[in-house]
Structures are given as C-alpha cells and as structure tokens.
Amino acid sequence: MNHTHFVQSIPDTLGRYDMYANIHKALRKAQCEMLIRLGQTDFARDDLASLLEDLRELLSFGSSHISHEEVHIHPAIELRAPAATTDLQHQHDSHRHNFRLLEELINVVQESAPERREALGRRLYLAYSAFIAHDFEHMFEEETLNNARLWELFDDGELHAMERAIVGSLPPQKAMAAMRLMIPAISRDERVRLLAGMKENAPKEVFEAVMEHAARPTLCREDFSNLSRRLMLTQCVPVY
Ligand SMILES: [Fe+2]
C-alpha cells in the first residue's frame, strides 16, 4: 500500500462513534514505550525481571484485545455481511502465532547465560519491533476499512452496545489495567468524554476508583486537574 493510498483510505468519522479509537491509542502508546525500553536495556548486565514481566503482560493484553474483537465485533459483522471479517481474522491468527514466538523468545532470554543475553536481547528487540509494525498496520485497517463497514452496517447505539459487552466481560482488575493504558494515551477532550460517560453510568465507587488508580497516577498534575475540573462541570451525558 503506497502512502497516497494510505491517506485516501482514512474515512472521516462524520460524527460517528469510533469504538477502536481509545483502545488502539492505548495499545500504540504502550507498544512504543515498550520498544524504547527494550532498546535502552543492557541485556547482559541489567536485571531483566520487571522488563520481561511487563512485556508478557502487554502481550497478554494484546491477546485479550483481539479475542474481544472476535467474540463481540466480528460475529455481529458476519451476520450482516458474510465473510467480511476473513482478512481481519487471518491477521489475528498471524498475531497469535507471533505472540507464541515472542513468548518463547522471552523464555529463552530469561533462562540464558549472561554472555548470550546481548545477542538474544537484540533478537527480542527486532522481533518485537516487527510484531508491532504489523499490529500498527492491522489497527490502521480496523480504523479505516472496518470502521467504514461498521458505520454502514450499524447505528451508534449498536456500536456502543458492542463496546459495553466487551467492557462488561472484563474482570475488574483487567478493566482497571485498560483504563491505566487508555487515559494517558488520549486527548484531554477524549478523557472527558470517556470518564463523563463512566461518571454518569457506572457506580460511584467504580468511577472514583478509576480517577484515583488509573487517572491520577498516569497523568501529569495539569492534565489531572483539567480532567477533574471539567468532570465536576459535567452534568448530563446521554446513555446509549
Ligand atoms: Fe484486531
């Protein structure tokens, strides 16, 4: 795909709901930060325990993310447009293959003798960079071609219902982990929209826990006070 084609294939949202936007921003931010961290690591000298644990956790988050799409989004599309998700499904299968390869490589790095770690660390860094390059293209396709398809097949109420089904399927710990990745990755306006919906529709203690444990620790002081101030002013949010 050449660059002109890339740009031309980006549809305007025209006010429609983009269910991929926040979570994909979260994944891109976390993946880029992980790549930088891997690049800055002295694999032969550094204690690798927390790096490798965080990498495993991020891969597991990505794996759950594609499963949620397969359970809650793809079957709904297939009911109205048979075979429309075949390409995306193949890309997910390729992701799963890559998750397994990366897991194996992480285990090899962890168990290797220190004199082998520099070479293996380079291999892990390059393998991870190739994986996220593929994932960036995949997420691009979801936010362009597949969003256009979703907007054609479903109204915004139906798209919100699919997203609610995904959020409702998450255990509280995973939901909080997703919020911790998402909140710092999105714009101030997007944070207000995301959290105003939660303030209006979720139990008070859930909203307060997200503010305390996901927003406060991940935002700079200015961004957190901007968010708190604007949420205080938010009175009425439509429930889809
Ligand atoms: Fe996907």
Side-chain angles (χ1 to χ4, degrees):
M1 199 187 277
N2 66 38
H3 191 72
T4 309
H5 186 79
F6 259 125
V7 173
Q8 285 169 349
S9 65
I10 301 172
D12 198 316
T13 65
L14 299 171
R16 295 299 311 275
Y17 186 57
D18 179 357
M19 70 160 81
Y20 292 113
N22 290 348
I23 192 65
H24 281 184
K25 277 192 177 183
L27 278 165
R28 290 188 188 98
K29 177 176 182 290
Q31 288 170 335
C32 287
E33 286 171 351
M34 177 53 73
L35 184 67
I36 292 167
R37 219 172 133 192
L38 286 166
Q40 291 171 336
T41 297
D42 272 320
F43 280 84
R45 282 179 216 268
D46 295 348
D47 180 355
L48 304 178
S50 69
L51 171 75
L52 298 182
E53 188 185 319
D54 290 349
L55 178 54
R56 281 197 182 98
E57 199 176 312
L58 184 55
L59 293 174
S60 158
F61 185 85
S63 175
S64 302
H65 172 70
I66 64 174
S67 298
H68 296 146
E69 290 173 350
E70 288 170 2
V71 171
H72 296 284
I73 302 176
H74 294 187
I77 295 173
E78 291 280 330
L79 278 177
R80 296 186 189 182
T85 64
T86 304
D87 282 352
L88 291 180
Q89 192 56 51
H90 287 153
Q91 291 168 20
H92 281 192
D93 292 343
S94 155
H95 274 30
R96 276 201 191 84
H97 178 67
N98 288 329
F99 287 139
R100 279 195 295 277
L101 293 178
L102 286 166
E103 279 292 339
E104 284 168 20
L105 197 43
I106 292 167
N107 291 339
V108 170
V109 170
Q110 196 162 36
E111 288 155 17
S112 65
E115 64 272 19
R116 287 282 300 134
R117 282 198 194 136
E118 190 172 348
L120 290 168
R122 174 177 177 273
R123 188 179 291 193
L124 180 61
Y125 173 76
L126 289 176
Y128 185 71
S129 76
F131 163 68
I132 68 171
H134 283 306
D135 197 28
F136 275 33
E137 286 198 337
H138 170 69
M139 290 191 284
F140 178 86
E141 185 169 330
E142 287 179 330
E143 283 173 65
T144 55
L145 297 177
N146 206 48
N147 255 342
R149 188 179 289 126
L150 285 167
W151 294 332
E152 191 186 315
L153 295 173
F154 303 95
D155 63 32
D156 280 0
E158 291 172 311
L159 298 179
H160 278 279
M162 283 181 212
E163 190 182 63
R164 269 204 308 277
I166 293 174
V167 174
S169 73
L170 298 176
Q173 209 180 349
K174 288 210 165 175
M176 189 64 85
M179 294 304 279
R180 285 175 65 88
L181 291 183
M182 214 150 43
I183 289 170
I186 61 182
S187 72
R188 285 182 168 186
D189 284 355
E190 287 167 337
R191 282 177 205 137
V192 172
R193 283 198 289 273
L194 175 69
L195 289 162
M198 182 170 282
K199 183 183 171 200
E200 191 73 11
N201 302 314
K204 188 167 180 275
E205 61 275 15
V206 171
F207 168 73
E208 286 173 355
V210 167
M211 288 299 285
E212 270 319 297
H213 302 298
R216 193 189 289 278
T218 59
L219 295 178
C220 66
R221 189 180 304 180
E222 293 77 16
D223 280 355
F224 184 74
S225 61
N226 174 281
L227 179 63
S228 308
R229 195 175 60 248
R230 291 171 66 186
L231 286 171
M232 293 269 287
L233 298 172
T234 305
Q235 295 297 331
C236 185
V237 177
V239 180
Y240 288 95

